[in-house]
Amino acid sequence: MLRRGRFGRPMDAMASEYTSSMQVDVRLFSPVVQINAAHTVMLAERKIISPQDAAAILRALCDLHAKGIKALELRPELEDIHMAVEEFVVATTSEEVGGKLHTAKSRNDQVAAAIRVALRLEILEIRAALLELVGSLTALAEKNVSTVMPGYTHLQIAQPTTFAHHLAAHAWAFIRDLERLELVYVQANSSPMGACALAGTSFPVDPIRVARLLGFKRLSENTMDAVGSRDFALHTMAALAILMSDLSRLAEELVLWSSAEFDTIEMPDEFSSTSSIMPQKKNPVVAEIARAKAGRVGGALLAALTVMKALPQSYSLDLQELTPMLWDAVDQTKSSVRIMSRAIGAIKPKVENMRRRAEESFAVATELADTLVRDAGLAFRDAHSVVGRMVASATEAGKSPKDLSFEDLQSACREVLNRDIQLSEVKFRPALNLERCVEARALPGAPAPKAMRAQINLLKREMKIRKKLVRAEKRAILKAEEKLLKLARRMSR
Amino acid sequence: MLRRGRFGRPMDAMASEYTSSMQVDVRLFSPVVQINAAHTVMLAERKIISPQDAAAILRALCDLHAKGIKALELRPELEDIHMAVEEFVVATTSEEVGGKLHTAKSRNDQVAAAIRVALRLEILEIRAALLELVGSLTALAEKNVSTVMPGYTHLQIAQPTTFAHHLAAHAWAFIRDLERLELVYVQANSSPMGACALAGTSFPVDPIRVARLLGFKRLSENTMDAVGSRDFALHTMAALAILMSDLSRLAEELVLWSSAEFDTIEMPDEFSSTSSIMPQKKNPVVAEIARAKAGRVGGALLAALTVMKALPQSYSLDLQELTPMLWDAVDQTKSSVRIMSRAIGAIKPKVENMRRRAEESFAVATELADTLVRDAGLAFRDAHSVVGRMVASATEAGKSPKDLSFEDLQSACREVLNRDIQLSEVKFRPALNLERCVEARALPGAPAPKAMRAQINLLKREMKIRKKLVRAEKRAILKAEEKLLKLARRMSR
Amino acid sequence: MLRRGRFGRPMDAMASEYTSSMQVDVRLFSPVVQINAAHTVMLAERKIISPQDAAAILRALCDLHAKGIKALELRPELEDIHMAVEEFVVATTSEEVGGKLHTAKSRNDQVAAAIRVALRLEILEIRAALLELVGSLTALAEKNVSTVMPGYTHLQIAQPTTFAHHLAAHAWAFIRDLERLELVYVQANSSPMGACALAGTSFPVDPIRVARLLGFKRLSENTMDAVGSRDFALHTMAALAILMSDLSRLAEELVLWSSAEFDTIEMPDEFSSTSSIMPQKKNPVVAEIARAKAGRVGGALLAALTVMKALPQSYSLDLQELTPMLWDAVDQTKSSVRIMSRAIGAIKPKVENMRRRAEESFAVATELADTLVRDAGLAFRDAHSVVGRMVASATEAGKSPKDLSFEDLQSACREVLNRDIQLSEVKFRPALNLERCVEARALPGAPAPKAMRAQINLLKREMKIRKKLVRAEKRAILKAEEKLLKLARRMSR
Amino acid sequence: MLRRGRFGRPMDAMASEYTSSMQVDVRLFSPVVQINAAHTVMLAERKIISPQDAAAILRALCDLHAKGIKALELRPELEDIHMAVEEFVVATTSEEVGGKLHTAKSRNDQVAAAIRVALRLEILEIRAALLELVGSLTALAEKNVSTVMPGYTHLQIAQPTTFAHHLAAHAWAFIRDLERLELVYVQANSSPMGACALAGTSFPVDPIRVARLLGFKRLSENTMDAVGSRDFALHTMAALAILMSDLSRLAEELVLWSSAEFDTIEMPDEFSSTSSIMPQKKNPVVAEIARAKAGRVGGALLAALTVMKALPQSYSLDLQELTPMLWDAVDQTKSSVRIMSRAIGAIKPKVENMRRRAEESFAVATELADTLVRDAGLAFRDAHSVVGRMVASATEAGKSPKDLSFEDLQSACREVLNRDIQLSEVKFRPALNLERCVEARALPGAPAPKAMRAQINLLKREMKIRKKLVRAEKRAILKAEEKLLKLARRMSR
């Protein structure tokens, strides 16, 4: 259709397939129909086309909307879904009437608008899924505020903490991911319609009306920027790549904890596979794939950054190549967050193993040193050295933490500081008690059960606020869609 | 110092150099001194250490602050700046007094805090530089609202626009970059102090007090998350990578426009180099480097995403490796934005060349087709075909746009639609006029001079609001710093 | 099938879909059938299974081979194509006989083998396509050894060269890409069969026999490495990413040259699209997409590097996630090279425009300076300054290169060196002649027509050798395949 | 110096610093001096400059070589080391004589040549370091051919293997890295000298002579390609990124094995740090940093690919920005490989722990199933099910592998297959024996001690051949360097 006036020959078949976006465009079907409907409504309202022509076009569009994408012929030589929809309208009405559909718009603004319409909903879905995941983590944490486990640094056992505290650490990262996605949403939810090819139009269009009909909250401030920018896509992919980075860290821990060596969670059969005949061998495949997907989403971001690098204004076809990367990042993230949310909801902590590991290590050593500072007046660095020496001797002698005696401490003190320590023996034993040690860390954010309950309440409040926002934003765009279709149907009569 | 209690042998020299962050830590000097001061003030206020000990430590810190980093011995075997500062305090006071400095804190929370303190200021500087750049673009645009130039898609001349419109397209992308960096700032400006190694502390510390003394606006909600997360760094680098992507597009255009083929701007000598003897050859080196730096910053982001992938909780030394990438992204972006702001301020548009290129092309064809739709009642697709045919014939006949006659149009119409067109000849000529064509695109965001002036006012308003925000945030942290030092000096007496 | 002995419950449907590789595995169908056939042949030859069982299994496999993949049920709960093929064999034979197929092998070695079998052929196809592209460039170069055009540095016109010289510059980069892909092929063409899950097997298998039957040239030297390594995939993707980087540079030039500003090639209609109504506007869409694909392939490499980072031995399911990235890199590269080869074959250089651009610039300035060094005894830096001054004055006076006189040179000399130049006037004029200037650059590798013809011959020789290698390697694997199927059919009787 | 003829004003100070490569160029000092010397020798030999001028220039260069880089003024406004060296020669000789140094060359070919000269040596150093690492792994493997440990898939214990087998798996990956670096070396070791700015020169230079004097093995086949290509740098970085990916996997295992949960190696104090007071806590910092560096090198590659994307011919300053990424990749890789080689040489396997973990798991289950296939005639899938059932029952009953009885097997067989198994009881017990199980896997590449010894011999042979090659290549370039300096000194008299 486009080549009629200008070109003698059709496009080379291989070139046509290479440059067509038809296959990927499938997910833009509904947005493209909506955009055409909103545009037509506005054209009629502004008397740029006649009510009769508008009615005929809207009839065709409503018809197409009802029939779905299978009504379209998706030949690659039509280049993209935008031309396929226009062709349908022309075929259903006439060359003359259907030929008016593209008045005062261009594929350039329409492509950008369609991606944004489709993306808005995806971001909301990912935010909803992320809230589910935070919910799963919070629910599991709530059951485990008193489940003592070792806290790690450098993958070495460092200090006792609780399973709840550990799970909540991940939850807060996801809350920040949500916060980022909220800005992503705001920036994506802006209408480029009216920008046409790049310089706007001399028709008296009403871009604000079109934006409202499509449920957009903002309007592009510059028509060249409207068609030539994709930073909203880069921004989305960046937020998703960071989210997946956070998710991969949780996934890694599921893999570690499922190993025979850690053995601190039970991954249920439904989320495991077996590839061999060993019964202890339940492969944590969901976590493995989620971990790997972080690479995939990061790669998509990088690919997109490379595509955009040094691209002059305004629209170039390179931008088309960026869109599948965006959808891949969206799809991989969405499914990963959803499945991890289910997996977290299903894992069973092996509470005794967690506690035993914490107990067998010298995880309480810090607390003992702190006690020496607090109750025996030692400088922190001295206390650090005394306890270090005590534990070194214990290890050499094959003693485990529970075998330690007050005398061991005194003798270490003599070795290091050349004097006895001034500590009442009653203070010594409790310092080695895991539960006491955890309970003593009672400031906001720390693992003490009481503090954790407060932290969980904070998480719940965050979820509540953010869920409400997701719901409100979803409602707004669905309502706009419904209203638009109703209006289109009314005007098509 | 740290190894005293635990290890028999010193670290292998090569390993020590390999794992030390000393060299990179130099930029953390001032933040580390501040954090130690704030922490000591709080320890004294909460009576965890005595006023005398606090005074001695604060004296040492104030002394160090005054002398600067050259007072420190930066041997790699000290591992990092944190140990170097502590060593200085111990050396200045005594093992006993200085040894109390590290009470109720850990390198883990201190490292995270120091990076955030240093980063906050950098983000503000980049935002300020970006506002300068937007200012340069806006000022240049303001002088060129009537400078007609070709608008491009696919690097093909598409429609006439103005230099102002083109420059503003870039400005809006930078405004969105600013918006992103504002959230980056909010997320980064959160205090991890009090988290200690990963599980908080049993000392009755006051993390809110420390946060306030350091000018932080938020507090970490979970101590493990506080020391083990670096999504604030990924977030920063992602925002910078997108910014640099936007900048590389502007840089590419400077390179193109400086070429003999485009020849639409004059890059002043101060921003050019010559490597040969041709006088027309002024290499646009600033733009070339800025374009390339986009790759560097994107690479830093990707490196950081890879480092974080699948890292279990909480702190691992891998996080240390991420910090130089963060600073590199910050430094490269800051200098690129600054130099591009100066370069934009210095370029001279070759106004006649811009206009001539627009004139020689058939950039007005769209407007003519729109006129046929508006005034002759053609469907858009028919108008598109008619004008296409007319221009194809003109090209074959070697005619340039200004040679086109009304008869050419009619004859194209007859060929394509088999009939004459119903258009008054008076409507024909103006449709081919560049200025009229630009003026007709008068909706918000479009290039018409009047619309552009409104757009420029919008840009100025955006700048004003955002500059105010930067100033307020900068003032807040500088005030906190000043207040902290004053307090430290007072308490050190 | 696998879960029968071990698990009580089936996999969660969402988890099953999330972790299944079935969809991507489709392209492994033929390799998997071959591997099973080769393995069965060997099992029978080593008497690990009976001739009767082998015959039944091979019958099923030959049947499957004939019917194609549509004979398989590709349900995600079967996990992958490997299980689907085994299920088919079991269904066609019996649980008892078909159950023997997996004797002494594992999915771990089979997956690695199947990817390598499929990849080998793809690498050969890409090498063949690349040779086509070098062929197109060489053919076009051959026609243009005397086509003078400006040579650029910094996108500034620097010195005259020829179109042939420019095209050949790209060709040599592709030759190096070929060289890299040849090593990729050698490393990929190595058999992991016999490694089983990770530790080999206690059955008396013959891995060398299986490797030969499958046309492999090498054998994995360590069974754990055989199943746990994917550096052959990273290596492939790295080579392809570099290739696409080279290709994107050629694509960029097609975009530039097609612009109205450069206007030095005509991109034929078959490889262009139009999105608007301007006749001069033929969008170079093939080149744009090829340029963008470089980002995509680079992103795939990065994603894969991230997936592999820090993955412990041996097989983890993360490796499965890497495979689609490999195929995407392969597919995108293959189609890009092929289409660019066709596009290069179709472009028409605008010879006069090329020459005019060279002529209007001061591209010959270097040659003039060299003449001053050679024939007037000036030091190079002095000659550089004299000519620079001459051209600066000419530009100011609005003179073009052909207006330059000997007196202009003398006066510049006096200004810069304070003396007259000792140059016979007969040497002056020829130094400004474009053709002479090009002809004077006659060393190997330089643009003089004679040298270029020699260079083209070198390119042809490279192509000839490398084509022969591709053909030989392709023949070897196709022959092995044919032989294997014949043997399988024979043994199945 | 360069701007004299052409520009009125000096470069903006900020722009000058932004675009100067002076700081990074420091490592090019010696290559640049060599290249200038080789070029001058050739100019004299070809009588392009007089023996006297050559002598003066060579005297200056020899002097500079002796004094080292501190003799140069590295002001950023000189742009780069190339200009700094030329300035030194001019200052030492005279404007007239020194001004001849740059005859028939350009910074464009000289930059490319200098990077290649510096890079060659670095690649050889990395190859040498990698051979050390393979040596460390092989030596450790040699001591542990009988050290039984669990083999893992999905980080789940799968089958028994040996520590030697596991270490050798890594060694082979590094052998392939070496193979890749050998091609990298060949491609990098090619001389661009003679290409000048991009189009060669009309002076009768002898590029082959210059290449030989500099120890290059190849010559660029096209002068534009010579100055405009950097695929040799991308190729290097790609090979290093893959190498670092391989290294990060080994590093990850050191981290895992050092954990309290795995506890299968002892990382010596010299390669550990402590950040806390727990004696069991020796942080595996070297491995952590090595793991993270994989991200850094991958990021450098990606950055470089992005820089090169869509860069038109020939030289652009963007290429300058790529060089620091190359050196960073080189430096990070070199130090990582070296330190990991030392760390591997120092770790102590905890042999009993390795064995105990293998013993407590059901790692032998595969071997038992294979026995059922071999000696009891079961189909593999049936054997798999029977053993799976047996182990599931044992686990439920709390039995460990050594508690399993023949009756347990029979009862599982009855449950699954509804019949007794036909296996002599004497075959049962040995199937559960770890050592026997390992010994039975005796094919090349498998863990049986005898096979492992053969594999180690193969590794040693590979090392020997490749060491020889590194030595020969290093000798060749060092000899060329020595010879060049001798010749320069002789000609300078």
Side-chain angles (χ1 to χ4, degrees), chain A residues 137-149 161-172 257 349 354 438 445-449 451-453 455-456 459, chain B residues 222 224:
Chain A
L137 287 164
T138 306
L140 190 55
E142 204 158 14
K143 284 185 223 148
N144 289 283
V145 286
S146 302
T147 307
V148 173
M149 75 174 281
T161 184
T162 66
F163 194 41
H165 187 236
H166 198 124
L167 293 167
H170 289 288
W172 287 108
W257 296 341
M354 287 182 178
V438 167
M452 266 315 302
R453 269 183 221 106
Q455 196 186 128
I456 285 170
L459 275 169
Chain B
N222 177 297
M224 194 185 288

Side-chain angles (χ1 to χ4, degrees), chain A residues 55 67 76 129 142 146 170 192 203-204 252 337 340 378 400 411 446:
Chain A
K67 284 180 176 156
E142 204 158 14
S146 302
H170 289 288
F203 286 102
E252 171 77 2
V337 173
M340 283 291 280
L378 261 59
S400 92
S411 108

Side-chain angles (χ1 to χ4, degrees), chain B residues 56 64 67 97 107 151 157 230 267 328 362 374 390 451:
Chain B
L64 180 57
K67 284 178 174 155
V97 171
R107 267 189 299 179
I157 295 178
R230 286 295 183 275
M267 179 69 83
D328 194 49
F362 288 86
R374 219 167 13 230
M390 179 186 73

